Amino acid sequence: MRYEKYKKKKKRKSTSILLIFLVLVGATAGYAFYQYKQGVNQSLEKMNNEKAGSNINNEEFTFEGKKDQYGATNILLLGSDARGEEKARADTIMIAHYNEKKGTYKLTSIMRDSYVSIPDHGKHKINSAFMRGGPELMRKTIKENFDIDLQYYAIVDFEGFVQLIDEAFPKGVEINVEKKMSAYVEVPLEPGLQRLNGEQMLSFVRFRHDAIGDFGRVQRQQQALQAISNQLSGIQTIPKLPKLIGVVTPYINTNMDTGDILFMAKDFFAKDRGNIDTFRIPIENGYEDANIKGEGAVLELDLEMNNEAFHQFLTK
């Protein structure tokens, strides 16, 4: 008799714990969705107020991506330099690497003037692959030249970068500006360690009018992403993720689900990684400067040397 009462009491207790757990899960999911929608609406309202929205989500692309031979997820990140209705080249080309089993996050930048074979189009600067065939042709071009598969793509409007910085860092991102940057940037920068808001960070990552040109710009882009990662990392960031993703969503065209983005971001911040290994194509001494008729100044790559170093970076 006592045993039966004990069993019933234990069953009621287990049921109560399960119900509490389900309520907590539901409340957490509801809060996350609310924050996400808050972020989306915030960006849409800003677009409407400025009477200048982003056209980046208006076009649908095919993308036949898959995981790479190492079991990792690679995301093609493209920053577009479109002006009005003209066809856009890729102003920024990066590959974000996420290996769930190893728990590693890496980032590769590909110089936009790299002179490569573009499937069915001959040899051209790699940034023109986007203009000729969207992210799918860029995926094929990277696969053909660098032997790596890409599972997802994300085309980013630079205004989304500005909004993300301002939302995540109300006091700005601390970063060292190594020189005065005033040529062809909307917000000039003075040298020194300082906190930059979204517009200032955009000037920092896009400036390239100095002696080292695009090489310096790629270096600053990786420096900026590392600083953002370091200053945003930690368990305290996780509650902010749904809104941050919502803020940037209207400025991104991607084949990734919001859940995929949230999962990868949560895994990164939950483990307080705060560090991303970076790589650049071409590597030092892995290219020659050349001038091609119809293309202008290009980087002639030693593909064998670059690929060997690239795959070593991916597998270490």
Side-chain angles (χ1 to χ4, degrees):
M1 193 71 172
R2 288 182 181 175
Y3 178 69
E4 291 299 323
K5 287 182 179 179
Y6 172 76
K7 279 186 69 176
K8 289 179 181 179
K9 187 176 180 181
K10 186 175 181 181
K11 186 176 181 181
R12 283 197 301 269
K13 186 177 180 181
S14 298
T15 303
S16 298
I17 292 172
L18 178 60
L19 285 173
I20 292 170
F21 174 74
L22 291 175
V23 168
L24 287 173
V25 169
T28 301
Y31 174 79
F33 180 73
Y34 173 76
Q35 289 294 309
Y36 169 76
K37 292 300 292 183
Q38 283 280 94
V40 171
N41 292 335
Q42 179 177 308
S43 289
L44 291 176
E45 184 178 352
K46 185 174 180 63
M47 288 178 178
N48 292 332
N49 289 341
E50 294 179 351
K51 297 180 180 179
S54 171
N55 294 319
I56 205 158
N57 274 319
N58 295 345
E59 192 168 356
E60 292 186 8
F61 297 102
T62 59
F63 198 78
E64 299 176 8
K66 61 181 181 179
K67 286 193 173 185
D68 67 21
Q69 61 266 51
Y70 308 116
T73 296
N74 295 311
I75 306 163
L76 175 64
L77 303 175
L78 300 172
S80 172
D81 67 348
R83 299 291 185 271
E85 296 300 317
E86 71 182 39
K87 281 284 189 178
R89 292 186 177 225
D91 188 54
T92 297
I93 306 167
M94 292 182 171
I95 305 172
H97 313 276
Y98 169 59
N99 192 310
E100 185 179 357
K101 288 183 178 179
K102 292 183 177 180
T104 56
Y105 293 78
K106 299 181 180 184
L107 185 72
T108 296
S109 297
I110 303 178
M111 302 284 289
R112 64 183 188 171
D113 289 341
S114 299
Y115 193 56
V116 298
S117 295
I118 299 178
D120 301 320
H121 292 276
K123 292 197 74 172
H124 299 278
K125 292 181 181 180
I126 193 169
N127 68 334
S128 71
F130 179 61
M131 175 188 71
R132 299 170 192 275
E136 172 63 7
L137 185 57
M138 182 67 81
R139 181 193 69 78
K140 290 179 177 178
T141 300
I142 290 173
K143 173 65 176 176
E144 179 172 308
N145 289 274
F146 306 112
D147 190 29
I148 197 71
D149 285 301
L150 309 171
Q151 188 170 1
Y152 300 112
Y153 76 87
I155 307 167
V156 183
D157 183 318
F158 286 115
E159 182 60 27
F161 175 78
V162 172
Q163 298 307 316
L164 180 64
I165 294 299
D166 287 341
E167 179 65 33
F169 302 96
K171 296 181 180 179
V173 178
E174 185 176 78
I175 201 161
N176 184 48
V177 180
E178 79 274 17
K179 65 184 72 175
K180 183 174 181 178
M181 301 177 188
S182 58
Y184 301 97
V185 292
E186 300 222 357
V187 182
L189 301 175
E190 294 296 326
L193 183 65
Q194 54 199 285
R195 288 189 173 274
L196 303 184
N197 63 25
E199 292 287 354
Q200 292 168 326
M201 280 294 289
L202 185 60
S203 290
F204 181 78
V205 300
R206 298 201 75 186
F207 177 77
R208 63 188 182 92
H209 293 277
D210 59 6
I212 55 177
D214 213 33
F215 284 91
R217 188 179 70 121
V218 167
Q219 181 179 332
R220 280 186 290 276
Q221 287 175 349
Q222 293 186 342
Q223 178 189 350
L225 289 176
Q226 187 67 70
I228 292 167
S229 170
N230 288 339
Q231 294 170 48
L232 197 61
S233 66
I235 193 74
Q236 69 275 11
T237 299
I238 294 176
K240 303 176 185 176
L241 288 177
K243 187 173 183 182
L244 294 178
I245 293 170
V247 165
V248 79
T249 292
Y251 299 98
I252 293 181
N253 184 317
T254 182
N255 64 335
M256 295 183 71
D257 293 331
T258 302
D260 292 329
I261 300 172
L262 189 58
F263 173 78
M264 282 186 259
K266 180 179 69 66
D267 185 47
F268 179 80
F269 292 117
K271 295 173 183 176
D272 198 20
R273 300 179 193 279
N275 187 61
I276 302 174
D277 291 333
T278 58
F279 187 78
R280 189 200 72 200
I281 295 175
I283 60 172
E284 202 70 34
N285 301 319
Y287 70 96
E288 291 184 1
D289 292 309
N291 203 296
I292 305 294
K293 186 176 181 180
E295 294 284 334
V298 303
L299 303 174
E300 285 267 25
L301 307 189
D302 181 327
L303 279 180
E304 184 177 352
M305 182 185 294
N306 279 281
N307 280 345
E308 182 179 354
F310 179 44
H311 284 268
Q312 284 180 357
F313 167 73
L314 293 178
T315 54
K316 70 180 181 181

